[in-house]
Amino acid sequence: MILEELRLINFRLHTNTKLKFSDKINYIVGGNGQGKTSILEAIYYICTSKGLNQNNDSEAVNFNSNSFEIKGVFSDLTKNESRLFYSAENKKKVLYLDEKQVFRISEFIGKFPVVTITQSDHEITAGSPAERRKFVDSVISQASNTYLKTLVDYNKILKNRAALLNQIKETGRKDYIDELDSWNESLINNGTYLLKNRNQFVEEFKLYLDNAYKNILDENEKPGIEYKTLCSSIETEEIKNIFQKKLAEIKKEEIIRGVNLIGPHRDDFIFYINNLEIKKYGSQGQNKTFQVALRFGEFFYLKDKLGKTPVFLMDDVFGELDTQRSERISSFLNKTGQTFITMTDFTRFGELYKSSEDKLIYVKKGEVSYA
Amino acid sequence: MLIAEPLQKVIDELSKLPSIGKKTAQRLALHLLKTDVNDVQKLAEALIELKHKLQFCKVCFNISVEEKCAICSNEKRERSIICVVEDAGDILAIEKTNEYRGLYHVLGGALSPLSGIGSENLKIKELISRFSSEKISEVIIALNPDTEGETTAHYLAGLIKPFGIKVTRIARGLPIGSDIEFADEATIGRAVTGRIDI
């Protein structure tokens, strides 16, 4: 899938920017605060309807305007146009696919797959378990609509169940216990589906992670990933039984504390390099390399699952990597698909692989020019 | 802008209604202002009558003119089956099909601790008490297929089964007359799991 054109109207610094892209690598170059990352953000918006890093939509509106619009033309087997309009006045975001309004965003996710490498990826290896769950959930959700829906339902059940546990804690009413049992059943049904799919995902993803290290990053390091959860089975009945048993064991404690104590929302994923846990023993460089490997893994995983090549967005990725790794990544990108890379440090451009098909785009104060 | 107080009052009251926003409310209010006074009178009376003349059926909590609703007092209905629904509006939907000849029971919602709805806020005790006053052989659960509805279904099934009464749930699947390719994945997935012999 290729993003051919992009148009930004009153989006951050870009009052009216029109861009045409190469279907290989697009280097977006400019100083700090000139509107480079805004271009990546706009691409992310029309692929997912959301901004990067969970920014508030209203922050993306140009200071002299009260709405923004992004339009992108994608070509795959067919040509599709995605258009997003946001009005800060009534805080309304409307998404159009080929000029038809999209009412269910969940059905839109995965249509234009996108993979990003940004500074906030740091949280995936170094941050809390929630960040790792978010990464895994977002990858599986892009590939499976049913997973996304189940996840949304599961979170709704968690909220209800937490409210009920709190009510039991406060009132001490015994008749609420029967209600809790019913919520447990819903929790187990939905949670088992998530757990099973995450187990399957981790098994498959190992291979993609291995390949990313072997082919792109560093063949001397061996990556590993482990899913820490209730049970490692992929048999629905087996997971259900264990889930049920553990839930019964912890019932008293859950009531005393008034919180959901077990389930996929408490799990963690452990990352290893040469059998050592990265979070504890990894260097800065190893962390960064692992984050990049996760994203390359995501890229090829989605490509295989969706049968579509995602758009790859890289925000200032070479800043923290050494010359050798930067070179290897950029020469490999030739084989991936359409990529967008922002760069501040133009002096390092010489290290990177350039082909005649690549495009160099300068951005200055929201205005673009081509080399 | 200052709006004359009687008009503002109508706009405020109308916009309290579901799916009516400020703008629609304003349009309706202005329309009413232009309408003949007799017609407005009729509307006002109809609304008052709605509250005064209608009540909830003592047995099933359906909307009713009498103490017992038209369905509960209809001797021709199958009196051994109860269909449990969330709202009285659901009865209208099921009745339109002409497929169901049994009785109903309106719960008045679904379990949702988050919005403060527990089992005591629903007409569950009333449902259970019907098992001793009536001869019931089957309960059909027809709640919305969302997380709250599903959980409530589990809950009801747990309560009803000890009475030796058959508990069923309406099937979930593809809408009639539609195309499989246009249905969403979750619906198709459930339709496949819930497939039937032919």
Side-chain angles (χ1 to χ4, degrees):
Chain A
M1 189 193 74
I2 302 296
L3 175 64
E4 291 186 343
E5 285 171 39
L6 185 71
R7 178 141 189 203
L8 312 177
I9 296 167
N10 294 324
F11 186 76
R12 296 197 187 269
L13 276 178
H14 301 268
T15 47
N16 188 355
T17 299
K18 243 182 149 169
L19 290 142
K20 275 194 187 297
F21 298 120
S22 155
D23 50 11
K24 296 285 182 192
I25 306 176
N26 296 277
Y27 293 100
I28 303 168
V29 185
N32 287 323
Q34 303 297 319
K36 297 185 306 291
T37 307
S38 312
I39 295 177
L40 296 194
E41 191 181 20
I43 297 173
Y44 195 79
Y45 255 115
I46 49 161
C47 290
T48 64
S49 87
K50 289 190 193 76
L52 282 167
N53 309 330
Q54 274 116 31
N55 281 339
N56 214 327
D57 293 323
S58 59
E59 288 166 20
V61 180
N62 185 285
F63 284 126
N64 299 318
S65 175
N66 51 18
S67 66
F68 71 72
E69 186 179 283
I70 308 165
K71 206 156 100 178
V73 178
F74 292 92
S75 79
D76 199 3
L77 297 171
T78 55
K79 254 195 191 184
N80 292 100
E81 190 189 271
S82 164
R83 181 163 73 91
L84 184 111
F85 180 81
Y86 173 78
S87 155
E89 218 168 293
N90 44 21
K91 294 196 181 296
K92 234 180 142 182
K93 196 157 51 171
V94 194
L95 185 68
Y96 299 89
L97 180 61
D98 295 323
E99 283 312 310
K100 269 198 197 127
Q101 192 177 342
V102 178
F103 290 100
R104 279 211 196 134
I105 300 297
S106 64
E107 277 164 27
F108 181 77
I109 304 290
K111 184 138 183 64
F112 302 119
V114 57
V115 176
T116 59
I117 297 183
T118 66
Q119 298 300 320
S120 57
D121 284 358
H122 181 69
E123 297 298 315
I124 302 175
T125 58
S128 66
E131 300 291 335
R132 287 179 283 285
R133 288 193 301 266
K134 207 168 80 192
F135 167 76
V136 170
D137 285 340
S138 88
V139 179
I140 311 178
S141 293
Q142 284 207 67
S144 159
N145 219 317
T146 314
Y147 186 88
L148 179 61
K149 280 194 177 132
T150 311
L151 187 66
V152 172
D153 276 354
Y154 182 80
N155 287 330
K156 216 159 105 189
I157 294 167
L158 282 182
K159 278 192 195 148
N160 269 309
R161 199 169 173 273
L164 184 62
L165 283 168
N166 249 313
Q167 284 163 15
I168 297 176
K169 180 183 158 190
E170 273 162 25
T171 63
R173 285 176 60 163
K174 292 272 181 295
D175 54 332
Y176 279 167
I177 303 284
D178 288 339
E179 271 184 52
L180 185 65
D181 288 341
S182 311
W183 284 104
N184 285 354
E185 202 152 332
S186 296
L187 186 82
I188 291 168
N189 284 340
N190 286 270
T192 298
Y193 179 86
L194 297 181
L195 216 151
K196 176 183 163 179
N197 277 273
R198 284 182 184 175
N199 274 329
Q200 274 171 341
F201 169 78
V202 166
E203 269 320 299
E204 282 181 66
F205 196 68
K206 275 179 186 160
L207 202 77
Y208 289 93
L209 208 53
D210 268 351
N211 282 338
Y213 265 87
K214 233 186 280 168
N215 302 334
I216 316 167
L217 296 157
D218 189 340
E219 64 265 40
N220 297 319
E221 290 189 330
K222 170 100 180 122
I225 173 171
E226 183 197 348
Y227 179 29
K228 270 224 146 38
T229 182
L230 301 169
C231 117
S232 59
S233 168
I234 50 166
E235 294 301 324
T236 303
E237 283 312 310
E238 199 183 336
I239 303 173
K240 268 191 185 171
N241 287 337
I242 293 176
F243 205 155
Q244 197 138 36
K245 220 180 95 206
K246 298 237 165 128
L247 213 48
E249 282 169 13
I250 210 157
K251 194 173 183 174
K252 265 198 189 131
E253 206 188 331
E254 281 197 311
I255 292 172
I256 291 169
R257 293 176 52 184
V259 262
N260 295 298
L261 285 176
I262 57 162
H265 64 291
R266 307 280 291 202
D267 293 346
D268 197 1
F269 298 85
I270 316 285
F271 300 139
Y272 299 94
I273 281 294
N274 298 335
N275 295 323
L276 286 177
E277 201 180 323
I278 289 196
K279 207 180 165 188
K280 289 184 186 146
Y281 308 105
S283 70
Q284 285 279 7
Q286 279 175 325
N287 266 283
K288 184 74 198 172
T289 308
F290 202 91
Q291 291 150 23
V292 173
L294 285 173
R295 294 304 190 182
F296 269 99
E298 176 185 2
F299 182 89
F300 287 104
Y301 176 84
L302 289 180
K303 188 177 171 178
D304 288 350
K305 286 278 161 184
L306 296 169
K308 263 188 210 171
T309 311
V311 167
F312 214 147
L313 308 179
M314 301 184 176
D315 193 17
D316 214 4
V317 62
F318 299 118
E320 284 172 62
L321 291 170
D322 56 38
T323 312
Q324 197 193 351
R325 273 180 200 183
S326 301
E327 265 174 27
R328 290 186 66 162
I329 290 174
S330 65
S331 58
F332 188 81
L333 286 178
N334 219 23
K335 293 177 212 147
T336 48
Q338 194 184 25
T339 311
F340 299 84
I341 305 175
T342 61
M343 289 198 331
T344 353
D345 188 5
F346 191 64
T347 52
R348 293 192 61 186
F349 192 63
E351 297 163 9
L352 305 172
Y353 183 88
K354 287 181 300 270
S355 99
S356 56
E357 286 169 285
D358 297 345
K359 217 166 201 172
L360 187 57
I361 301 167
Y362 294 102
V363 185
K364 201 173 180 187
K365 288 189 181 147
E367 305 268 337
V368 298
S369 56
Y370 301 96
Chain B
M1 194 181 62
L2 216 64
I3 298 176
E5 205 220 312
L7 182 62
Q8 186 63 54
K9 223 164 131 188
V10 175
I11 294 174
D12 289 346
E13 290 305 317
L14 285 174
S15 58
K16 286 182 193 163
L17 300 173
S19 82
I20 305 248
K22 280 271 173 222
K23 276 186 185 160
T24 315
Q26 190 178 321
R27 198 180 322 140
L28 290 173
L30 288 171
H31 175 81
L32 287 173
L33 194 58
K34 280 184 269 175
T35 312
D36 188 84
V37 71
N38 287 327
D39 288 336
V40 177
Q41 184 85 31
K42 270 189 216 158
L43 175 65
E45 276 165 15
L47 289 176
I48 297 293
E49 230 174 66
L50 181 74
K51 285 307 279 184
H52 284 314
K53 286 206 175 157
L54 288 184
Q55 51 184 325
F56 292 105
C57 169
K58 278 207 159 144
V59 183
C60 74
F61 302 95
N62 184 13
I63 301 161
S64 170
V65 184
E66 310 290 332
E67 260 193 8
K68 248 172 133 185
C69 75
I71 295 172
C72 285
S73 44
N74 184 344
E75 287 304 321
K76 285 193 180 134
R77 310 241 0 165
E78 180 94 55
R79 306 203 69 86
S80 62
I81 307 177
I82 296 180
C83 177
V84 179
V85 295
E86 283 183 27
D87 293 304
D90 300 334
I91 295 185
L92 297 178
I94 297 173
E95 278 303 290
K96 272 192 208 148
T97 65
N98 278 325
E99 289 288 336
Y100 178 69
R101 300 294 303 155
L103 305 172
Y104 290 96
H105 191 87
V106 181
L107 281 185
L111 292 175
S112 172
L114 203 53
S115 355
I117 302 176
S119 50
E120 76 271 21
N121 305 108
L122 303 173
K123 306 287 183 202
I124 292 176
K125 254 189 271 133
E126 289 82 352
L127 172 67
I128 302 297
S129 73
R130 286 178 74 175
F131 300 153
S132 44
S133 57
E134 302 169 47
K135 240 181 107 55
I136 305 298
S137 60
E138 180 180 353
V139 172
I140 303 173
I141 298 180
L143 303 176
N144 294 333
D146 51 17
T147 54
E148 285 85 1
E150 296 282 291
T151 306
T152 313
H154 292 314
Y155 182 73
L156 290 179
L159 287 181
I160 300 168
K161 276 182 186 158
F163 286 88
I165 295 170
K166 184 174 163 194
V167 185
T168 54
R169 185 177 58 189
I170 54 167
R172 298 171 301 197
L174 297 165
I176 303 246
S178 68
D179 267 335
I180 290 184
E181 61 171 328
F182 292 133
D184 67 280
E185 286 176 28
T187 305
I188 298 177
R190 281 180 175 173
V192 172
T193 343
R195 65 192 182 277
I196 50 172
D197 290 324
I198 50 169

